[in-house]
Amino acid sequence: MSASPTTHQKTGIAGEFFVAAELAKRNFQVAISLGNAKGVDLLVTTPNGKKTFEVEVKTLRKQPNCFTLHSSKIKQNCAYIFVYLNNENQAPDYFILLGSILLADLPHFYGSSLGTDRETVNHGPLKPFLNNWEILQ
């Protein structure tokens, strides 16, 4: 049985807030855009104020699982943060990489789902990017 649209929406919002909190903890300025028809999840400025960039957050409740993201929608200069919320008493896991990294090796990240109707980023290729916050500097 699949989760309801409301559950998916709550999962997505939870991931966005967790990521926003982690970025704020690291002294980034963060603007959250909420809603179903938005173009970007977070707009972020580095602590020194010299760089502003978009962040797309993809969230799932538990791992390992694959994140739905159509390869045609990946933006070169956007940061992508894949979040596993995990159990209530366990901190989320964050996998952080830039769109340019995804685009440089789509077959590696997508495997057999690449080019299908339901393209998904696989869990395994994301592992080296666990807590890769420094890439955002």
Side-chain angles (χ1 to χ4, degrees):
M1 184 165 120
S2 65
S4 72
T6 303
T7 301
H8 286 298
Q9 187 178 31
K10 288 178 186 174
T11 299
I13 290 171
E16 291 172 24
F17 278 112
F18 272 114
V19 170
E22 286 293 332
L23 289 167
K25 182 170 77 174
R26 291 167 170 76
N27 293 317
F28 287 85
Q29 287 291 111
V30 182
I32 303 171
S33 66
L34 296 174
N36 291 330
K38 58 189 178 180
V40 63
D41 293 327
L42 306 172
L43 190 59
V44 178
T45 303
T46 54
N48 63 11
K50 293 186 178 183
K51 178 178 158 190
T52 299
F53 56 93
E54 297 177 355
V55 173
E56 287 294 328
V57 180
K58 298 296 179 186
T59 309
L60 295 170
R61 291 205 171 258
K62 58 186 174 182
Q63 59 179 309
N65 220 329
C66 300
F67 295 89
T68 300
L69 174 62
H70 296 284
S71 61
S72 63
K73 295 187 178 185
I74 298 173
K75 301 173 193 172
Q76 182 90 8
N77 296 317
C78 185
Y80 289 84
I81 303 181
F82 299 91
V83 181
Y84 288 116
L85 293 179
N86 297 320
N87 296 319
E88 286 182 22
N89 297 322
Q90 183 182 2
D93 289 320
Y94 305 96
F95 300 87
I96 304 120
L97 60 160
L98 302 177
S100 59
I101 295 169
L102 287 167
L103 289 168
D105 198 357
L106 290 173
H108 174 68
F109 289 101
Y110 284 85
S112 62
S113 76
L114 186 62
T116 66
D117 288 341
R118 188 172 181 271
E119 290 184 322
T120 56
V121 175
N122 295 320
H123 171 74
L126 293 176
K127 288 180 181 180
F129 302 95
L130 179 65
N131 294 321
N132 190 31
W133 298 103
E134 62 276 358
I135 200 169
L136 303 177
Q137 292 296 333

